[in-house]
Amino acid sequence: MAAVNSKSSTQCHLSTKIKQVPILKDVSAELFRENIYLKRKPVVLRGFDIGECVGKWTPEYLIANAEDKPVNVHVSSTPQMDFINKNFLYRTLPFSELVKRASKEINEDFFISPVMDNILMQIHGRKRVVLFNPQDAHYLYLKGDKSSVLDIDDVDIEKFPLFVKATRYECYLEPGDIIFIPALWFHNVISEEFGVAVNVFWKHLDSNIYCQKDPYGNKDPVAVSSAFQIVDRAIKALECLPKEYQDFYGRMLVSRIENKCYLKDLDIS
């Protein structure tokens, strides 16, 4: 899979602010649970023994030992999958064909972390992970929970001028590494070679907060869905006003939400 990007003077290479995701070695499960986890920040854990799968799950091993059952996958002609405009198809492939294709292609995704916490364990191969703080959401050009920015390494700053204000957190995962991605953190993942990884998601809030029909954490919490409906009704109510009044009172609504809801003193940078 390959993509050709046409570059111009209106494009930039990277965000102006880059931070490294901390890499911690030989952290005990107790220390992670009682200290690191409570800080609600991404961190890479290195030195855990996650079994003989590390280094063993090569393409040849997987094809030889896994039953060749059909699996459902996204198939795209470009590395950057566009979950807004749907530049991919859903296909059913034999497992062996999926492994063969995956070993030749580089895939890239950019999306919000589910409302559940997430641990990703890198089993085989090397992977780059870029994350963005949920407090930078207003710089990421969201439509729903997806970003309109597809290539975060080559951003058109005329089209997305605010994106460079977002702080970028980077790390590379080696076989055996574990990364903790707290709920709501946006993440972009690039597999630099054939890779195998395992995700584990869990609910860290009271179960009543989550949509009961959403076992994977892809839907907004129940209270958020209700709030979005209220905002949509508020916007609709302003449509009877002239445009300049809509603009003014729309900004007033945004200001009120900022003053009431934004946790300005919360340090999750």
Side-chain angles (χ1 to χ4, degrees), residues 182-195:
L184 306 181
W185 279 74
F186 297 82
H187 53 284
N188 171 277
V189 179
I190 294 181
S191 297
E192 298 201 327
E193 55 189 347
F194 173 79

Side-chain angles (χ1 to χ4, degrees), residues 209-228:
I209 291 176
Y210 301 93
C211 175
Q212 301 303 306
K213 297 181 179 180
D214 177 34
Y216 300 107
N218 293 322
K219 295 184 178 180
D220 296 314
V222 176
V224 176
S225 298
S226 177
F228 281 154

Side-chain angles (χ1 to χ4, degrees), residues 53-240:
C53 55
V54 177
K56 187 175 183 179
W57 287 5
T58 63
E60 295 77 17
Y61 177 86
L62 294 175
I63 292 173
N65 290 273
E67 295 182 13
D68 206 15
K69 294 182 178 179
V71 291
N72 297 320
V73 297
H74 299 93
V75 177
S76 175
S77 59
T78 62
Q80 292 87 21
M81 287 196 180
D82 185 346
F83 286 90
I84 296 176
N85 297 307
K86 307 294 185 184
N87 68 339
F88 54 84
L89 299 173
Y90 294 98
R91 292 283 176 83
T92 300
L93 299 175
F95 181 78
S96 59
E97 178 65 21
L98 170 64
V99 173
K100 290 176 182 178
R101 292 186 61 163
S103 64
K104 299 177 182 179
E105 298 173 355
I106 296 176
N107 297 309
E108 179 176 0
D109 301 314
F110 182 28
F111 47 87
I112 190 174
S113 183
V115 294
M116 298 183 190
D117 286 341
N118 175 13
I119 274 184
L120 184 151
M121 295 175 283
Q122 188 68 17
I123 307 299
H124 183 86
R126 194 168 189 258
K127 183 173 293 181
R128 188 195 75 172
V129 181
V130 177
L131 303 107
F132 293 90
N133 193 311
Q135 287 190 325
D136 281 346
H138 50 300
Y139 300 141
L140 302 182
Y141 295 89
L142 300 179
K143 290 185 178 180
D145 62 355
K146 307 296 188 299
S147 174
S148 297
V149 181
L150 298 183
D151 188 346
I152 66 169
D153 295 321
D154 194 13
V155 181
D156 186 334
I157 58 174
E158 275 196 353
K159 188 175 182 181
F160 306 112
L162 297 179
F163 191 83
V164 294
K165 294 185 177 183
T167 300
R168 174 186 179 116
Y169 297 77
E170 291 188 355
C171 65
Y172 285 86
L173 300 183
E174 306 289 347
D177 284 350
I178 300 172
I179 183 171
F180 167 54
I181 305 176
L184 306 181
W185 279 74
F186 297 82
H187 53 284
N188 171 277
V189 179
I190 294 181
S191 297
E192 298 201 327
E193 55 189 347
F194 173 79
V196 179
V198 176
N199 282 93
V200 178
F201 299 90
W202 69 93
K203 298 176 180 178
H204 73 103
L205 303 175
D206 187 280
S207 60
N208 292 328
I209 291 176
Y210 301 93
C211 175
Q212 301 303 306
K213 297 181 179 180
D214 177 34
Y216 300 107
N218 293 322
K219 295 184 178 180
D220 296 314
V222 176
V224 176
S225 298
S226 177
F228 281 154
Q229 293 174 5
I230 293 171
V231 170
D232 289 341
R233 290 198 297 269
I235 295 172
K236 184 70 175 178
L238 297 179
E239 291 181 355
C240 64

